[in-house]
Amino acid sequence: MSSPPLSLTLPEEFVLLSYLASGKVQDSGQASFGCAAAELGELALRRKLLLRPRKTRKKFGVEFYRYPRDIELLETGRTGLVWADALLAELEVHASEPEPVLLRQWLRRRRREALALHRETLTRRGLLLHRPTRLGRDRYYPCVVTRAALIDEIRACYIDQRRLDARLLLLCDLVEAAEMRDELSLRLTWRQWLGWSRRAGVVESVPEELRETSWMLRLMVPSRKGG
């Protein structure tokens, strides 16, 4: 099994998976939200931020999770990525304001810019082939080899041939949130679904704060139109 280029970031991987062989995405609104969420996921992987759910205890000791309202910045040093450093600088400004930026508000505001930015990066690197159309609805055809290698890597996690690390957990959660499972021919067993949804067993090797961040990002991606 081949591996995707190591230099791909999480939002680049998500965009590459979002574009079909037809050059289109199933739902551009959902894809743009997912891309913005993937940017936060990349920063979480680099230990720049976290999304901590608000936990409330109910009867019988059962713990319930609520969406985090804001983004917790951990460190704002340079990452080497122009877009990531710009995002961190902007988030740092918002963090100093009396009213911190809300997570859903940030994703809604960032979504279109995020998708366009990472789509352009992939196009420049030759991993998306841009083809304008007469109707103005441009097509972006993904590199078949790179996309297939990335799908193989994800599929190996689904069939228990590869252990989920933090990056793959975030990517798989975004794939699930964007409802790509069927179009990528991915199948979860009942045991896997329980393990992933409860963040136990197959993902227990991932630090808890990253498991929580991944789950919160997954919950932020909207369903497809008409779904």
Side-chain angles (χ1 to χ4, degrees):
M1 179 180 65
S2 57
S3 298
L6 295 178
S7 57
L8 282 181
T9 62
L10 193 64
E12 290 167 356
E13 289 177 333
F14 179 81
V15 172
L16 193 61
L17 291 172
S18 297
Y19 275 91
L20 307 174
S22 63
K24 300 188 295 184
V25 294
Q26 290 283 9
D27 186 319
S28 60
Q30 185 188 57
S32 62
F33 252 101
C35 187
E39 287 185 331
L40 296 182
E42 180 69 30
L43 293 176
L45 287 173
R46 294 168 183 263
R47 300 299 194 270
K48 299 297 185 182
L49 59 79
L50 289 174
L51 304 176
R52 297 187 191 271
R54 294 176 289 166
K55 302 176 183 180
T56 56
R57 289 193 175 274
K58 300 295 183 180
K59 294 182 179 180
F60 311 113
V62 178
E63 195 169 50
F64 289 83
Y65 289 66
R66 299 172 63 191
Y67 298 150
R69 288 180 55 82
D70 50 21
I71 300 167
E72 179 183 343
L73 279 180
L74 302 178
E75 199 269 327
T76 58
R78 295 179 64 83
T79 65
L81 296 171
V82 175
W83 67 264
D85 291 342
L87 254 62
L88 285 172
E90 187 175 350
L91 287 169
E92 187 174 23
V93 170
H94 285 302
S96 64
E97 295 174 346
E99 293 291 333
V101 63
L102 301 182
L103 173 59
R104 189 176 292 279
Q105 183 185 55
W106 170 268
L107 293 174
R108 186 177 294 113
R109 184 171 60 194
R110 176 67 185 170
R111 53 183 175 166
R112 291 187 179 88
E113 184 179 350
L115 181 60
L117 169 69
H118 298 290
R119 184 175 60 202
E120 180 183 352
T121 299
L122 289 170
T123 302
R124 200 166 54 242
R125 296 176 62 182
L127 297 177
L128 282 178
L129 180 62
H130 178 210
R131 285 285 184 265
T133 66
R134 293 180 180 178
L135 298 177
R137 298 174 182 175
D138 293 0
R139 301 291 178 91
Y140 293 86
Y141 299 93
C143 172
V144 175
V145 174
T146 306
R147 188 173 187 271
L150 187 56
I151 294 171
D152 283 345
E153 191 178 17
I154 296 170
R155 185 173 292 119
C157 298
Y158 274 70
I159 61 177
D160 287 338
Q161 289 186 353
R162 177 166 180 159
R163 192 175 188 180
L164 275 166
D165 57 18
R167 169 189 152 260
L168 282 169
L169 176 60
L170 278 156
L171 183 58
C172 288
D173 267 341
L174 289 169
V175 164
E176 289 286 324
E179 302 167 82
M180 296 183 193
R181 192 195 303 174
D182 288 341
E183 61 206 40
L184 299 183
S185 300
L186 302 171
R187 297 290 182 272
L188 276 178
T189 65
W190 179 246
R191 183 190 67 80
Q192 288 173 319
W193 187 88
L194 286 176
W196 286 24
S197 63
R198 295 178 182 176
R199 291 300 183 257
V202 294
V203 297
E204 61 186 4
S205 61
V206 179
E208 181 181 7
E209 64 270 17
L210 284 178
R211 296 201 307 265
E212 291 177 347
T213 295
S214 184
W215 188 250
M216 292 303 104
L217 287 174
R218 174 173 175 165
L219 294 178
M220 290 294 106
V221 180
S223 299
R224 289 182 182 174
K225 293 178 182 177

